[in-house]
Amino acid sequence: MTNLALVIVLLAALMTPLLMAKFKMSYLPTAVAEIIVGIILGTSGFHLIVSTPTLTELSTLGVTVLIFLSGMEIDFDLFKKQPTPTDPQLKVQPSPVRLAITSFAFILLISFGLSGLLAWSGLFKDIGLATILFSTIALGVVIAALKEKELLSQPLGQTILLIAVLGEIIPLVALTVYSSLNNPGSKSLWLLSLIFVAAIYLLVRFKGVYHFFARIDKSTTQLDIRLAFFLIITLVSIAEEVGAESILGAFLAGMVMKLLRPREETTDKLTSIGYGFFIPIFFIMTGAKLDLPALLADRKSLSLIPFFFIGFMLSKAATYWVLKRRFKQTNAIAGTFLSATTITLVLPILTVGLNLKTITEQQSGAFTLAAILSCILGPILFNRFYQPTPEDLPRKRVKFIGANIMTIPIAQQLSNGLYTTQLFTDNQGNYEIYHSAADLTLLPDLSEDSLVTSGAFDADIIILGYLNHEQNYRLAQLALEAKVPRIIARFEAKDILDEKYDQLKEQGVEVFNTYEANISLLRSLIETPSTLQIIDNTDAGLFEVTVQNRRFTGLQISNLPFVDQVTISRIYRDQELIMPHGDTQIHLNDHLILTGNKKAVPAIRRQLETRN
């Protein structure tokens, strides 16, 4: 019976997404569909799935891996201070971080108020547990919905994502405190800090060796996956020892793994293991254990479902007015409905409540069904109300330090295309000559303070164009300290005894020499006469586009939707040039060297470089 039950669960996990695709049920989150399948096949339906020790263990592992992957979903870059926009009108707009913190503060207050009303009415007396439940948000469902609309790189998507992140972190910590206070046998509350200390220690300990793992890893060792499960088991064990909830340990393990900056392949493998095996078992078994006939037969339990559902929705209502401060009304409504989606944490929280005997089976079932309803309606209403706003793809900011006969014409040409350009010089004479031809700023000197104050390092690409290579070397060091993504430095002198040229290249600076550049161009013209025509052609051009949209990763070149409009001649990946073929797969952060119509490329670039 044990093996048969496991086979039925795995068959259900396999067939659920296939049936969803067959009947085009894209509006329904997969997790909700798996719970519904569990209800049909379990206690409430055909009784084909029974709880066995094996399935119980796998289900426990499933929720642990689910919470671990939720921790890995957090984008810590969103919490970094964003550069001040140059447009004065944009300065008054609140940042996504501020909007998210304000929204979640209101969510907590309303959740507490609703819990108090439930306690006053006698429907559900545990105010603490109800507050935690009402404040939860399903991060995985939110991310899936935002990815579908390609909003993760937009302010609206970042704001909703941050609200969802807080809707997982805060309730998890609150659940741990709640569990300690309600469990007479739990250890002292201050011991909970030990799990955070352990997480920080593991992060520091493995930050240096993780890159070593990447160098010596091979298919038969899979060191990155072994490290991930080591982190999970270690922090879950510590959490249980100090009296915290195991899911808090799993969540911290996911955060530690994310901060180690794993390769895209590592994230894909962990996601495959989790969502391919463990997590579907957890959701199907959750549905299989629900006794709907008993729940629906109990009039009091039945009446709880609409109250709990309204609680999940109303607790996020104030998000609308916060989002409306920056976004259009329909999108504020859409974001509010998506934020009301919850399921991921509700199930483990209810398990904790059942273990502590602070909630009954009927109340747990009512909360589960209410969460399922929110998961069904939330994404549907989000898609119904969301309206794309016409936003131009942000043009890359190119800053030139040094205004001369070489940099000025390049800046003029780039500003007519996909870039915004600005030049800086400390030479009064050059400023007088060129300031009318380009956006040129005169600096009092080239000190670090002057460059930072003027915003010279607030760029995607910085060009160091002085003839003096010593000057460019010093400026390159300042740009490296300022963490400018791309630095291109002019270096005319190549003295064999001067190590600065090699040092810059080792530091990741792109170094060019006009003499060598001319030689390379002349050789290309001799060997491939059409090169100059491609570069100078007014209709077609040679472009480099970086793949940052995960929607295209894993696709073969022959399956790209715009493959008939451009020709991909090279792919620059991991510091190597690849000769592509029709079956070559696209990877995240690939640099595609392509030729195509200049009018078509901006739209293609927008698709590929939209972060998703």
Side-chain angles (χ1 to χ4, degrees):
M1 286 297 295
T2 299
N3 291 336
L4 179 60
L6 178 59
V7 169
I8 293 173
V9 169
L10 293 179
L11 179 61
L14 173 64
M15 295 302 298
T16 300
L18 294 177
L19 292 173
M20 290 177 67
K22 172 69 174 177
F23 295 103
K24 299 179 180 179
M25 300 170 63
S26 58
Y27 61 89
L28 189 66
T30 305
V32 174
E34 288 165 349
I35 293 174
I36 294 173
V37 168
I39 292 173
I40 295 171
L41 299 179
T43 305
S44 302
F46 295 104
H47 296 274
L48 295 176
I49 299 176
V50 294
S51 184
T52 65
T54 301
L55 284 173
T56 300
E57 289 295 326
L58 290 174
S59 180
T60 302
L61 278 173
V63 69
T64 301
V65 174
L66 172 66
I67 301 302
F68 169 79
L69 292 175
S70 294
M72 282 194 68
E73 293 281 11
I74 297 176
D75 186 357
F76 292 95
D77 290 335
L78 294 178
F79 293 95
K80 294 180 180 178
K81 185 178 179 181
Q82 300 296 318
T84 303
T86 55
D87 187 348
Q89 294 182 346
L90 297 179
K91 292 182 181 179
V92 298
Q93 293 183 340
S95 68
V97 175
R98 181 183 298 179
L99 291 173
I101 293 174
T102 305
S103 295
F104 196 75
F106 279 116
I107 289 172
L108 285 176
L109 288 174
I110 297 174
S111 297
F112 181 76
L114 291 171
S115 302
L117 285 175
L118 283 176
W120 175 77
S121 66
L123 291 172
F124 189 77
K125 295 183 179 181
D126 195 324
I127 296 177
L129 189 63
T131 302
I132 295 171
L133 285 165
F134 286 145
S135 63
T136 60
I137 302 173
L139 179 60
V141 176
V142 169
I143 288 176
L146 294 176
K147 280 185 176 180
E148 182 181 342
K149 296 294 184 181
E150 297 190 343
L151 285 173
L152 286 179
S153 63
Q154 301 296 332
L156 175 63
Q158 292 176 349
T159 304
I160 299 172
L161 178 60
L162 282 171
I163 296 173
V165 168
L166 294 174
E168 287 221 341
I169 294 177
I170 305 300
L172 263 176
V173 176
L175 177 65
T176 299
V177 176
Y178 169 87
S179 177
S180 299
L181 293 175
N182 285 274
N183 186 2
S186 66
K187 298 179 175 61
S188 300
L189 197 59
W190 68 269
L191 287 174
L192 298 181
S193 60
L194 291 179
I195 187 174
F196 294 96
V197 173
I200 295 170
Y201 171 78
L202 289 172
L203 173 62
V204 174
R205 178 69 182 84
F206 286 101
K207 204 162 191 176
V209 301
Y210 186 75
H211 300 292
F212 172 69
F213 282 3
R215 290 198 303 270
I216 67 171
D217 196 13
K218 52 186 178 181
S219 59
T220 55
T221 55
Q222 299 292 330
L223 289 172
D224 48 356
I225 307 302
R226 298 188 189 196
L227 173 61
F229 280 95
F230 168 77
L231 292 174
I232 295 172
I233 300 303
T234 300
L235 288 175
V236 166
S237 301
I238 294 174
E240 292 176 343
E241 285 298 317
V242 301
E245 289 304 317
S246 60
I247 55 176
L248 177 61
F251 193 78
L252 289 175
M255 293 174 65
V256 170
M257 193 69 190
K258 179 70 173 184
L259 287 169
L260 290 175
R261 298 193 176 277
R263 294 171 297 173
E264 190 71 18
E265 293 84 352
T266 299
T267 304
D268 288 342
K269 286 186 284 188
L270 289 170
T271 302
S272 299
I273 293 171
Y275 287 98
F277 182 69
F278 291 108
I279 296 173
I281 295 176
F282 164 67
F283 284 123
I284 291 173
M285 289 305 298
T286 297
K289 292 176 184 176
L290 274 178
D291 190 351
L292 282 184
L295 178 64
L296 299 178
D298 186 344
R299 185 172 299 177
K300 183 178 179 181
S301 299
L302 186 62
S303 66
L304 287 175
I305 297 174
F307 283 105
F308 290 162
F309 173 72
I310 292 171
F312 282 130
M313 303 302 288
L314 281 183
S315 61
K316 316 304 191 305
T319 304
Y320 164 74
W321 283 277
V322 178
L323 294 178
K324 194 179 176 185
R325 293 171 57 193
R326 177 164 182 176
F327 308 108
K328 59 190 292 187
Q329 182 178 359
T330 53
N331 288 350
I333 296 173
T336 302
F337 279 124
L338 188 59
S339 299
T341 302
T342 184
I343 192 67
T344 311
L345 280 182
V346 168
L347 301 177
I349 290 172
L350 292 173
T351 302
V352 171
L354 288 171
N355 293 336
L356 295 174
K357 302 188 184 306
T358 58
I359 188 172
T360 65
E361 289 284 354
Q362 287 74 21
Q363 291 170 335
S364 175
F367 266 118
T368 301
L369 290 177
I372 290 173
L373 289 175
S374 76
C375 242
I376 294 173
L377 291 179
I380 293 175
L381 292 173
F382 169 75
N383 291 330
R384 168 67 179 81
F385 284 97
Y386 172 72
Q387 294 179 1
T389 53
E391 294 183 42
D392 294 328
L393 181 69
R395 299 200 295 175
K396 289 189 176 180
R397 300 161 299 165
V398 182
K399 305 288 181 73
F400 294 80
I401 302 181
N404 50 52
I405 197 171
M406 180 188 70
T407 57
I408 290 293
I410 295 175
Q412 290 174 328
Q413 293 176 28
L414 289 176
S415 62
N416 293 326
L418 305 174
Y419 305 88
T420 60
T421 61
Q422 187 177 7
L423 297 98
F424 302 86
T425 183
D426 63 336
N427 188 303
Q428 179 71 37
N430 285 359
Y431 176 78
E432 296 293 340
I433 296 171
Y434 298 119
H435 78 278
S436 61
D439 182 4
L440 179 59
T441 301
L442 179 63
L443 301 174
D445 52 53
L446 293 179
S447 65
E448 183 176 4
D449 289 340
S450 296
L451 291 166
V452 171
T453 303
S454 65
F457 294 137
D458 183 15
D460 298 303
I461 305 172
I462 192 166
I463 315 294
L464 308 175
Y466 279 95
L467 183 61
N468 185 338
H469 69 278
E470 293 283 354
Q471 183 77 283
N472 291 334
Y473 176 83
R474 185 183 68 82
L475 293 172
Q477 301 308 310
L478 295 177
L480 287 167
E481 292 179 9
K483 300 188 182 302
V484 179
R486 282 188 67 193
I487 305 168
I488 302 174
R490 183 180 182 182
F491 207 102
E492 297 295 351
K494 288 188 64 177
D495 189 339
I496 194 171
L497 299 177
D498 192 340
E499 299 179 351
K500 292 186 176 62
Y501 182 91
D502 295 326
Q503 288 176 4
L504 288 177
K505 299 199 74 171
E506 290 175 1
Q507 292 172 318
V509 177
E510 301 168 53
V511 184
F512 75 95
N513 178 289
T514 53
Y515 176 72
E516 292 180 343
N518 289 332
I519 291 176
S520 299
L521 178 59
L522 181 57
R523 178 180 172 183
S524 297
L525 288 173
I526 294 172
E527 295 178 345
T528 54
S530 59
T531 300
L532 188 59
Q533 293 181 7
I534 294 175
I535 296 174
D536 287 344
N537 195 309
T538 56
D539 296 323
L542 185 65
F543 303 89
E544 179 176 336
V545 180
T546 305
V547 180
Q548 295 177 318
N549 191 331
R550 285 182 169 84
R551 183 161 63 93
F552 295 98
T553 59
L555 284 181
Q556 295 181 353
I557 288 180
S558 58
N559 293 330
L560 289 174
F562 45 78
V563 69
D564 58 332
Q565 301 177 54
V566 295
T567 300
I568 300 175
S569 56
R570 291 289 189 277
I571 298 177
Y572 186 67
R573 177 186 301 162
D574 297 330
Q575 298 182 345
E576 291 184 2
L577 279 173
I578 298 173
M579 176 76 75
H581 301 282
D583 59 353
T584 301
Q585 288 190 340
I586 301 295
H587 290 188
L588 194 68
N589 296 319
D590 274 356
H591 294 257
L592 307 184
I593 313 299
L594 52 89
T595 56
N597 190 288
K598 290 182 179 179
K599 294 181 180 179
V601 168
I604 294 172
R605 177 172 174 252
R606 180 186 182 116
Q607 293 181 63
L608 290 171
E609 295 194 352
T610 297
R611 295 183 182 276
N612 191 28

